[in-house]
Amino acid sequence: MASESRSTGAGSPGSGILLGSPFCYYSLFCYFRKIIFEKQWFYLDNAIGHIYGTTFEVTSGGNLQPKQEVEETSTETKEAGTDNRNIVDDGKSQKLTHDDIKALKDKGIKGQEIVQQLIENSTTFRDKTEFAQDKYIKKKKKKYEAVITIVKPSTRILSTMYYAREPGKINHLRYDTLAQMLTLGNIHAGNKMIVMETCAGLVLGAVMERMGGYGSIIQMYPGGGPVRAATSCFGFPKPFFDNLHEFPLSKVQSLLSGTFSTETLPAEPEENALVEEESNGLSEEKQSSLQEAEEEPAPEAPMDINPTEEQDTMDISAEDVEFKENKEKENKENVREKQMKQWERRKKLKEAAALLREKNADGLIVASKFHPTPLLLSLLEFVAPSRPFVVYCQYKEPLLECYTKLRERGGVINLKLSETWLRNYQVLPDRSHPKLTMSGGGGYLLSGITVVLEKDKSDSSNPEALKMEEPSSKRCKLQDLPC
């Protein structure tokens, strides 16, 4: 089940569920299964067939029921005090005890009625200001009203959820920084993008969502295979994955040097299957002949054999033969599936290598836990001139080193190292203000544009070349200085 809650595990497509704050994503693939989230459990059976944005109440038994909007016209909430200076929080203002509230829940009383009884049994509620009353009601509703809303998965929801709950899985990539990456990378439909990320597939999913299934994406991955836990949470249709290719980082250097070669692919998987069946048929004949030879009884003295015992032995031998045949069939199917998977994987690898050899990618996105300098210098070889690239890193120092290396290497312009600054605001009538807590940092971005690299250009050996690289204004100022 695709979920990033405290009680569930890894990825599959579907819709999201927004439970209060922070966000929580679930998949409708897991209906008929109990969902547990923050002391609340429910089933998603009744959510099937409703539109996105529908709000449900969790009834007894964990069933979902669409919530009916009821206008609150209670007269008690209109009585409010002028200030809260005389209110003392001594824990004695509420007449209902925990046992009373538990008894109300056991009776099946809805959360809205429980909140109303809490208001009626509070001795200090009417003395609070209107803002304090609203805050009190909101707090109690969140605690006692089991309400969930089905929302459609999107980059904003998933990035906010990951950053709020497990930022380490996405290298502390904040949602506003991800938005900057998509903008600086000029991601749009029809692009041919190279994506290298170790953010559980969140950046890849954001790029796929922005491209809308048009264009091609080549995902570079370390290790044995790509990680796409967050990508599967978007619920993309199958055509979105038709133009998604993957290529291992371990074979990038061999591809650049021209020594990359895949193993000889089988001509057709059907031919291999036929050859395998023929060989298996021959081996079966040999095994059957050996079994018949072993089953032939040796000449013995004549003995009286009970017909019932003979029938039992024949039944047992028939069952053994049938069991062996079924086991052989399963082994053949497993071998065939493995061969098909290997054949498809090598075929996809060959297609990705052919796309990279063209060296005409429209952009490069890097968001990795590895040092960005060697990654960027090698992957820039596959990007066409006048195309943007963006590199994300949680820390500034690796990007500074990468910035220096790019300036020495050349072939890039408009290099910028930036950090986004984010502050959340509370927007309410007569009480809009910045929130007291804010994010300390969302990482750093290094962006630029590729140009044709002059191979005959000498970087540090020619001092005249270094002098010509200095801005004209700077040279003029140095010449005008008095001795």
Side-chain angles (χ1 to χ4, degrees):
M1 180 183 75
S3 142
E4 284 300 329
S5 69
R6 297 172 185 170
S7 57
T8 50
S12 55
S15 68
I17 293 182
L18 182 63
L19 289 113
S21 178
F23 295 95
C24 174
Y25 173 82
Y26 286 105
S27 169
L28 287 183
F29 181 77
C30 60
Y31 62 93
F32 302 118
R33 178 180 175 182
K34 183 187 288 187
I35 307 300
I36 303 174
F37 177 71
E38 292 186 354
K39 300 180 182 179
Q40 183 64 50
W41 61 273
F42 50 87
Y43 297 94
L44 293 176
D45 305 19
N46 297 336
I48 306 299
H50 291 274
I51 62 173
Y52 290 116
T54 306
T55 303
F56 297 91
E57 287 182 345
V58 182
T59 60
S60 58
N63 297 318
L64 298 183
Q65 183 179 359
K67 184 181 179 181
Q68 298 178 356
E69 296 182 1
V70 180
E71 295 182 1
E72 298 179 0
T73 57
S74 57
T75 56
E76 289 88 352
T77 57
K78 294 181 180 179
E79 300 177 10
T82 55
D83 54 51
N84 300 327
R85 70 179 70 182
N86 297 322
I87 298 176
V88 180
D89 187 13
D90 54 359
K92 300 178 181 179
S93 60
Q94 183 55 248
K95 297 178 183 178
L96 291 179
T97 61
H98 291 286
D99 296 334
D100 297 335
I101 296 172
K102 187 178 179 182
L104 292 174
K105 288 182 177 179
D106 295 338
K107 290 180 182 179
I109 296 176
K110 293 184 178 180
Q112 188 175 357
E113 297 177 4
I114 294 176
V115 172
Q116 189 63 32
Q117 292 197 23
L118 288 172
I119 293 172
E120 293 173 356
N121 289 276
S122 176
T123 58
T124 59
F125 182 79
R126 291 175 181 81
D127 298 331
K128 295 180 178 181
T129 62
E130 186 178 355
F131 295 151
Q133 288 180 355
D134 293 341
K135 190 175 180 181
Y136 179 85
I137 294 173
K138 185 178 179 181
K139 181 180 178 182
K140 296 304 179 184
K141 280 185 176 181
K142 184 179 178 181
K143 185 174 182 180
Y144 295 106
E145 286 189 6
V147 179
I148 63 172
T149 303
I150 305 290
V151 295
K152 187 175 182 179
S154 64
T155 300
R156 182 179 181 85
I157 290 176
L158 288 174
S159 59
T160 305
M161 178 273 297
Y162 267 103
Y163 189 77
R165 292 195 167 269
E166 291 183 339
K169 284 189 175 181
I170 58 172
N171 300 329
H172 296 265
L173 175 63
R174 204 168 56 197
Y175 41 91
D176 60 311
T177 308
L178 178 57
Q180 291 287 328
M181 292 178 64
L182 297 177
T183 303
L184 294 172
N186 193 26
I187 311 297
H188 58 82
N191 267 9
K192 179 181 177 181
M193 297 298 302
I194 299 176
V195 179
M196 165 55 200
E197 57 113 325
T198 56
C199 300
L202 179 63
V203 178
L204 176 65
V207 174
M208 292 175 66
E209 183 187 55
R210 181 68 64 91
M211 294 177 63
Y214 299 96
S216 58
I217 302 174
I218 306 168
Q219 182 186 8
M220 317 298 292
Y221 64 89
V227 179
R228 296 172 181 171
T231 308
S232 60
C233 295
F234 282 85
F236 292 129
K238 205 170 184 181
F240 275 58
F241 295 92
D242 293 340
N243 294 325
L244 176 60
H245 308 273
E246 55 194 45
F247 195 82
L249 280 174
S250 58
K251 298 186 178 181
V252 170
Q253 293 300 328
S254 61
L255 185 63
L256 289 173
S257 61
T259 59
F260 172 79
S261 63
T262 57
E263 298 178 5
T264 56
L265 297 176
E268 286 294 336
E270 298 177 357
E271 294 180 4
N272 285 347
L274 292 173
V275 172
E276 182 189 354
E277 287 177 0
E278 291 175 0
S279 61
N280 288 333
L282 292 174
S283 60
E284 285 176 5
E285 290 177 0
K286 291 180 180 179
Q287 290 177 0
S288 60
S289 61
L290 289 173
Q291 288 177 359
E292 289 175 0
E294 290 175 357
E295 289 175 359
E296 288 180 359
E300 295 179 357
M303 295 178 64
D304 294 334
I305 300 174
N306 194 350
T308 56
E309 292 180 0
E310 183 180 0
Q311 184 68 25
D312 292 340
T313 54
M314 290 179 67
D315 292 341
I316 293 171
S317 61
E319 290 177 359
D320 292 341
V321 171
E322 186 178 357
F323 175 75
K324 290 179 181 178
E325 289 179 355
N326 293 333
K327 194 172 182 181
E328 289 176 359
K329 287 181 180 178
E330 290 179 0
N331 293 335
K332 290 178 189 176
E333 291 177 358
N334 293 334
V335 171
R336 194 174 302 174
E337 287 180 3
K338 288 181 181 179
Q339 287 184 351
M340 288 293 295
K341 287 181 180 179
Q342 291 177 357
W343 184 84
E344 290 176 0
R345 187 176 179 183
R346 288 156 60 188
K347 183 180 178 182
K348 290 181 179 179
L349 183 64
K350 192 173 182 180
E351 292 176 356
L355 290 174
L356 289 173
R357 282 195 187 99
E358 295 175 359
K359 297 185 178 182
N360 60 350
D362 294 319
L364 172 64
I365 304 290
V366 178
S368 171
K369 61 184 178 181
F370 305 111
H371 201 288
T373 302
L375 287 175
L376 184 62
L377 293 179
S378 58
L379 295 179
L380 277 178
E381 299 292 333
F382 304 112
V383 182
S386 301
R387 300 295 189 273
F389 64 90
V390 188
V391 185
Y392 165 80
C393 188
Q394 184 183 354
Y395 308 103
K396 179 172 59 176
E397 289 75 16
L399 291 182
L400 286 173
E401 181 181 345
C402 189
Y403 180 92
T404 305
K405 293 289 185 181
L406 287 174
R407 290 296 299 269
E408 294 176 356
R409 170 184 174 272
V412 293
I413 59 172
N414 199 24
L415 274 179
K416 290 182 181 179
L417 180 59
S418 59
E419 178 189 12
T420 56
W421 189 78
L422 178 69
R423 168 173 281 179
N424 294 319
Y425 279 76
Q426 173 183 292
V427 180
L428 292 171
D430 299 329
R431 43 191 165 152
S432 297
H433 58 79
K435 290 189 176 180
L436 298 178
T437 58
M438 61 176 289
S439 175
Y444 300 86
L445 293 177
L446 176 63
S447 60
I449 298 175
T450 60
V451 294
V452 177
L453 179 62
E454 297 179 5
K455 296 182 179 180
D456 298 334
K457 179 181 175 182
S458 57
D459 297 328
S460 58
S461 59
N462 190 359
E464 294 294 330
L466 291 175
K467 184 178 179 181
M468 292 300 295
E469 287 182 359
E470 294 179 355
S472 58
S473 59
K474 184 177 179 181
R475 292 199 304 272
C476 293
K477 288 180 180 178
L478 291 174
Q479 293 174 1
D480 295 342
L481 288 175
C483 297

